[in-house]
């Protein structure tokens, strides 16, 4: 069911996105992650909560890809509700990009490594999340160099240059 939901959401987000190039860059992790999960689901089964969180992350990416992060209606609604000066949907995506991989990495390490709950598990999970985010920042930097002005939509700087 989650696979169908994610495929439907990604497909719907592809319908007349604000920027086609931005859509491709934003939903690219879905195109990599979803097939990997489908192929590996028998060999590396995850718990239902992790699959749900990964689906939520994919939905966040698909929505951000369709509108661009600066234009997601949910972000405007939150801005109005809390009196924010700008659309903070990108903050939701960044939070998800930190939290959801951390939970995934923790589950994988607890099942398939010698690490146990506690000290080193936290250090290794945190390091993996920081490495993932750093790699994504390099991708954004490369996109900014390649796209020039068009990178603003992908980066969603919204005045936070």
């Amino acid at each position: 069911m989650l696979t169908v939901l994610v495929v439907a959401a990604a497909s719907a987000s592809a319908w007349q996105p604000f920027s086609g190039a931005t859509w491709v860059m934003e939903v690219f992790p879905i195109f990599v992650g979803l097939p990997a999960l489908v192929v590996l689901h028998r060999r590396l089964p995850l718990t239902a909560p992790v699959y749900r969180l990964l689906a939520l992350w994919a939905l966040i990416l698909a929505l951000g890809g369709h509108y661009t992060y600066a234009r997601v209606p949910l972000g405007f609604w939150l801005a109005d509700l809390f009196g924010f000066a700008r659309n903070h949907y990108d903050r939701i995506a960044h939070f998800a990009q930190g939290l959801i991989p951390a939970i995934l990495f923790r589950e994988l390490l607890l099942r398939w490594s010698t690490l146990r709950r506690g000290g080193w598990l936290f250090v290794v999970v945190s390091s993996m999340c920081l490495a993932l985010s750093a790699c994504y920042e390099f991708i954004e930097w490369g996109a900014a160099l390649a796209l020039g002005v068009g990178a603003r939509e992908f980066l969603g700087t919204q005045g936070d240059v």
Side-chain angles (χ1 to χ4, degrees):
M1 290 298 293
L2 290 174
T3 301
V4 170
L5 174 66
V6 168
V7 169
S11 299
S13 76
W15 179 256
Q16 298 180 338
F18 182 82
S19 165
T22 300
W23 178 84
V24 169
M25 290 185 287
E26 296 294 358
V27 301
F28 184 75
I30 300 171
F31 296 142
V32 173
L34 185 60
L37 288 171
V38 169
V39 168
L40 296 172
H41 83 277
R42 290 196 194 280
R43 214 170 9 159
L44 295 172
L46 303 172
T47 60
V50 172
Y51 282 125
R52 288 183 197 119
L53 285 170
L54 291 170
L56 174 64
W57 191 17
L59 297 175
I60 291 168
L61 293 174
L63 188 61
H66 178 77
Y67 289 103
T68 77
Y69 286 93
R71 294 176 177 83
V72 173
L74 175 62
F76 289 125
W77 178 78
L78 290 172
D80 291 342
L81 181 66
F82 294 109
F84 296 145
R86 71 170 186 87
N87 183 328
H88 284 287
Y89 186 79
D90 62 322
R91 305 285 197 239
I92 295 169
H94 279 104
F95 180 76
Q97 185 176 332
L99 176 68
I100 295 171
I103 294 170
L104 171 66
F105 294 150
R106 181 181 183 279
E107 181 166 312
L108 292 174
L109 288 170
L110 281 173
R111 282 200 195 164
W112 290 287
S113 79
T114 58
L115 290 172
R116 299 288 170 242
R117 287 174 170 77
W120 281 110
L121 179 65
F122 176 78
V123 170
V124 172
V125 167
S126 298
S127 298
M128 292 172 75
C129 289
L130 289 169
L132 177 68
S133 293
C135 288
Y136 206 79
E137 292 298 325
F138 282 126
I139 291 168
E140 289 182 342
W141 173 66
L145 291 178
L147 298 174
V149 175
R152 285 195 180 135
E153 299 300 336
F154 176 52
L155 299 177
T157 55
Q158 304 176 65
D160 287 347
V161 180

